[in-house]
Amino acid sequence: YKRQIVDEATSDLDPLGKREVLEVIEQLREESKSTVVIVDHNTDDLARFADRLVVLDGGRVVLEGDPRYVFSMARELEAVGVRVPQIAALASKLGVTDGALPLAVDEAVRILAPLKHRLALRTAQNGTGTRGPSIAEFIDVWYEYEDGTVALRSLNLKIFEGDFLAIVGPNGSGKTTMAKLLTGLLKPSRGVVKVLGLDTKTSRPSQLARLVGYVFQNPDHQLICDTVEDEIAFPLRSLGFSEEEIRKRVEWALKVVGLEGVRREPPFFLSKGEKQRLALATVLAVGPKLLVVDEPTTGQDERCSRMIMDALRGLNERGVTVVMITHDMRLVCEYAKRVAILRGGELVAEGVPREVFERLFDTLEEMGLGAPPLAKLMKKLLGKPAFTVGEVEVNG
């Protein structure tokens, strides 16, 4: 093909998978001399592969040109919900702009090395290691699918009241299986899963429905009604809430996820990102004590990702325990109090995000995770990784 169009092809993949897909696309482009159009929100990857960027907002082209030029327009990008790549954002804070703006790690090391005396790392972090009473627990849990695939092996993990736990790992490591065990959608092959004192193997789904909310990775799996507001109201009616209470909760949930303007639209007319936010709203409206969200920012631009993550943080601050499955280490370090790393169905590490990622930094690639570009850059410049631009202080 002389023209290839790739629409959000990497959104559900782990970091290693994203890079492999883009490398294959790049190889095919070079071999066939074809034109490739990629639609994506992942600006860190686009910065390395794209020759030209077009930024759309409301059907209009608002920015277009060389990636260095486009990513130097931070204010304009923020206004339309596009995230500036971490390396470009840091370089801009140091006064490097336009044609000199670095987009790759090696290039950034060369350009920013003379300025590294102006950089310092903050020590503050979300996680403190403080733990309250247990709200859920996996006790020597194994899970085997009917085809013989062993998804979890001897998993032992506690989730604490008020926790914001991120579960990370490469595709196929058992993350979604773990989430479905927490909600009772799956029953352990061996071992015990307890949620608020209930054994999920023997508890009725209706018992768990008020306690545990689950937002699927694919929102199409949980959308069934004719309109957005009916979708949010449906589980509330099933659980016996009054119509007045349903109205209040629907309005609140619509506002939290920014879908007030499409309340009467059919859910399947929405974009993938809007569907993801609707699925989150249907669960938030019920008010669970434990909220499990599987890849909540998949297909979302920066503005909507922030909206969702800030909503999760707000719920967590009000006492809701949050378990988030994600591949985005940046979000983990910004929002999560603890992280658990799965690989091959086994728990590899658990603890405060930055401490865990820094300790395992040299093995993240082989674990299928991969450190973000900024972390690699700061490791080379200052000898210690930083996972978000906010962790880096710029002096002078």
Side-chain angles (χ1 to χ4, degrees):
Y1 296 101
K2 289 301 180 182
R3 298 177 185 84
Q4 301 174 41
I5 300 175
V6 185
D7 190 355
E8 294 279 2
T10 65
S11 60
D12 292 330
L13 300 177
D14 59 39
L16 184 59
K18 290 178 190 290
R19 285 198 298 274
E20 289 176 343
V21 168
L22 289 172
E23 286 168 359
V24 168
I25 292 172
E26 177 69 9
Q27 182 181 350
L28 290 173
R29 182 182 74 157
E30 291 177 356
E31 291 176 352
S32 63
K33 307 300 181 185
S34 60
T35 299
V36 178
V37 177
I38 299 179
V39 180
D40 211 313
H41 292 298
N42 189 338
T43 54
D44 282 301
D45 284 333
L46 291 178
R48 295 191 301 123
F49 286 94
D51 301 318
R52 180 166 157 255
L53 293 179
V54 176
V55 180
L56 298 176
D57 183 42
R60 296 181 303 109
V61 174
V62 293
L63 278 173
E64 181 269 328
D66 178 86
R68 298 178 200 281
Y69 161 72
V70 172
F71 288 135
S72 70
M73 308 295 285
R75 185 175 301 175
E76 290 81 356
L77 292 174
E78 182 180 349
V80 297
V82 175
R83 180 167 65 89
V84 177
Q86 289 183 318
I87 287 177
L90 177 62
S92 295
K93 289 173 71 173
L94 286 165
V96 180
T97 58
D98 298 335
L101 198 71
L103 300 177
V105 174
D106 291 340
E107 180 186 33
V109 170
R110 176 175 53 81
I111 294 173
L112 302 184
L115 304 172
K116 70 178 182 179
H117 64 280
R118 295 176 53 196
L119 300 174
L121 298 181
R122 303 177 191 272
T123 56
Q125 48 191 335
N126 295 319
T128 62
T130 303
R131 300 180 177 185
S134 170
I135 193 172
E137 185 174 5
F138 292 81
I139 306 170
D140 192 26
V141 172
W142 293 67
Y143 188 81
E144 182 176 348
Y145 285 95
E146 291 183 358
D147 64 0
T149 301
V150 179
L152 291 175
R153 304 168 184 271
S154 192
L155 177 63
N156 290 281
L157 180 68
K158 286 186 177 182
I159 300 169
F160 302 98
E161 189 175 323
D163 217 345
F164 195 131
L165 173 68
I167 303 172
V168 302
N171 290 110
S173 60
K175 303 184 300 296
T176 296
T177 300
M178 181 178 170
K180 290 181 177 180
L181 286 166
L182 266 179
T183 60
L185 291 174
L186 297 177
K187 310 295 183 183
S189 304
R190 287 161 48 189
V192 176
V193 179
K194 288 187 175 181
V195 177
L196 288 161
L198 296 175
D199 185 335
T200 61
K201 188 178 287 187
T202 58
S203 299
R204 297 190 306 275
S206 59
Q207 288 179 288
L208 293 169
R210 284 181 178 268
L211 302 175
V212 185
Y214 180 36
V215 181
F216 287 69
Q217 183 176 359
N218 183 347
D220 289 340
H221 292 167
Q222 63 190 104
L223 302 179
I224 58 174
C225 293
D226 293 331
T227 69
V228 166
E229 58 187 1
D230 286 343
E231 195 72 56
I232 301 173
F234 180 79
L236 298 172
R237 290 195 175 99
S238 300
L239 292 170
F241 286 89
S242 70
E243 286 302 312
E244 178 61 20
E245 182 66 17
I246 290 173
R247 185 188 65 78
K248 290 179 181 178
R249 291 185 179 228
V250 168
E251 291 299 322
W252 172 79
L254 284 169
K255 184 176 181 180
V256 167
V257 300
L259 292 179
E260 303 104 307
V262 295
R263 63 172 65 232
R264 293 184 177 85
E265 290 290 323
F268 288 98
F269 284 6
L270 304 181
S271 69
K272 181 179 180 181
E274 288 171 329
K275 289 178 185 178
Q276 194 81 16
R277 283 183 275 151
L278 174 56
L280 177 61
T282 65
V283 173
L284 293 183
V286 175
K289 294 184 180 296
L290 173 61
L291 177 61
V292 182
V293 287
D294 197 344
E295 297 286 0
T297 59
T298 294
Q300 306 291 335
D301 61 28
E302 180 69 1
R303 182 168 47 199
C304 290
S305 292
R306 289 291 172 193
M307 182 186 301
I308 289 171
M309 294 306 302
D310 288 343
L312 294 178
R313 174 182 278 167
L315 290 166
N316 182 244
E317 289 173 348
R318 293 197 293 274
V320 177
T321 301
V322 177
V323 175
M324 173 180 70
I325 296 172
T326 185
H327 289 123
D328 194 330
M329 296 169 74
R330 176 181 59 99
L331 290 182
V332 173
C333 289
E334 266 190 81
Y335 290 91
K337 297 174 182 175
R338 279 199 309 141
V339 64
I341 301 179
L342 293 181
R343 184 185 184 191
E346 298 180 348
L347 182 65
V348 176
E350 173 266 320
V352 176
R354 287 178 183 86
E355 293 176 359
V356 171
F357 290 150
E358 186 175 347
R359 185 174 75 247
L360 300 176
F361 189 80
D362 293 334
T363 61
L364 290 175
E365 293 285 342
E366 66 182 60
M367 291 169 60
L369 294 173
L374 178 68
K376 296 177 181 178
L377 172 62
M378 297 311 295
K379 179 77 169 178
K380 290 187 176 185
L381 288 180
L382 300 184
K384 188 176 181 180
F387 293 89
T388 68
V389 176
E391 294 174 50
V392 184
E393 291 182 352
V394 177
N395 304 306

